[in-house]
Amino acid sequence: ENNLLSGQGTLTWYINGKAVGRDEGTFKNGELSGHGRLSFADGASYEGEFPGKGTLTLPNGQKIQAESIHEKAGWSIEQTH
């Protein structure tokens, strides 16, 4: 829709030909919407709602309660208290 990603899928991000991240889930207007997962090149990941609460898994396996917040440049993931 509007030439933007829409529906279930995976979006892989590249910098200089190297995969640096992956977004998986349901997309609406080119952005994750509802339940999804972000994976980062360092092994960290966030799984949860967009926007909303979820779990951030650090590269060492530690799990932290977090939430995704929509910003102009995309999603930020912040630890909840």
Side-chain angles (χ1 to χ4, degrees):
E1 95 193 26
N2 298 329
N3 292 325
L4 298 173
L5 201 57
S6 189
Q8 190 72 22
T10 300
L11 177 63
T12 304
W13 297 92
Y14 292 89
I15 295 178
N16 296 324
K18 181 178 178 184
V20 295
R22 185 173 62 233
D23 301 356
E24 302 171 81
T26 302
F27 292 84
K28 183 176 181 183
N29 295 320
E31 298 180 333
L32 281 170
S33 178
H35 190 84
R37 177 182 172 93
L38 301 178
S39 301
F40 306 97
D42 67 358
S45 65
Y46 169 84
E47 185 166 352
E49 299 302 312
F50 290 88
K53 298 185 184 297
T55 301
L56 176 64
T57 303
L58 302 178
N60 67 5
Q62 179 184 0
K63 294 186 183 300
I64 298 172
Q65 294 304 306
E67 73 177 300
S68 62
I69 299 170
H70 189 262
E71 299 185 16
K72 275 187 172 182
W75 294 102
S76 68
I77 307 300
E78 297 184 6
Q79 183 175 353
T80 56
H81 302 283

